[in-house]
Amino acid sequence: MSGLSPAQLAALRQDYAQRGLRRSELDPYPIKQFNDWLAEAVEQQLIEPNGMTLATVDADGQPWTRTVLLKICDERGFTFFTNYDGAKGLHLAASPRAALTFWWGALERQVNITGLVAKTTVEESDAYFHSRPVTSQIGAWASAQSEIVENREQLERQFEMALAKYGDKEIPLPAHWGGYRLVPQTIEFWQGRRSRLHDRLRYTRQADGSWLLERLSP
């Protein structure tokens, strides 16, 4: 079997040295701090800096991950949109807890978030759905997310059928499509440092809604 050897994999190691992260540099409000870091990633022109790894757990306790796109981040939490009937939707219906990871390698940074997840309102889902390109709206009708499809041609036929059905009409919001909002319980900011002595500072939401900020060992 070909592939990289353990020595080759070990040689990929990076010793992060761009900057450090001190408690005094962080905003008291983690959502504000996150948006500051996201803005910096955008300014650096990173590819899809709003891409985040979403972790959910199925009925057997098996964790699953995939990358989704953050669409709204405000004081309510982190919002993304998807097919409710897909695997992630089924997982969240049974266990409405999830974790998110943002990785910005060029900045030697990541943000790790945990919390409870709930659906957005239909009105919010509808507003976002109709802000999407028409082809993306059609795609939401054409694809039965996570279900087995015979081949690529079948998927493309389904897209063409949906396109013909709606034509120039306004495309309705599918009942199976909408948003989820993760309400954070913890938000950890990670900055790479030399010798693997990374800076990790974690906010934890308290019972009164305030945030406790603590430094973690790397």
Side-chain angles (χ1 to χ4, degrees), residues 122-150:
V122 173
E123 291 76 16
E124 190 168 7
S125 295
D126 186 74
Y128 175 70
F129 181 78
H130 286 107
S131 74
R132 305 174 85 207
V134 170
T135 52
S136 295
Q137 296 179 42
I138 291 292
W141 281 101
S143 174
Q145 191 176 82
S146 301
E147 293 189 9
I148 295 171
V149 62
E150 182 178 356

Side-chain angles (χ1 to χ4, degrees), residues 158-205:
Q158 290 169 186
F159 181 88
E160 293 300 327
M161 290 172 61
L163 186 61
K165 177 178 179 180
Y166 293 109
D168 296 330
K169 297 181 293 186
E170 180 175 296
I171 303 166
L173 172 71
H176 61 262
W177 196 96
Y180 286 105
R181 179 173 293 111
L182 184 146
V183 179
Q185 178 63 31
T186 67
I187 305 180
E188 179 191 321
F189 292 85
W190 182 102
Q191 180 71 60
R193 295 294 297 272
R194 289 192 184 278
S195 305
R196 294 299 188 261
L197 294 179
H198 310 306
D199 287 322
R200 298 176 59 194
L201 288 121
R202 182 186 65 195
Y203 296 81
T204 302
R205 191 189 297 271

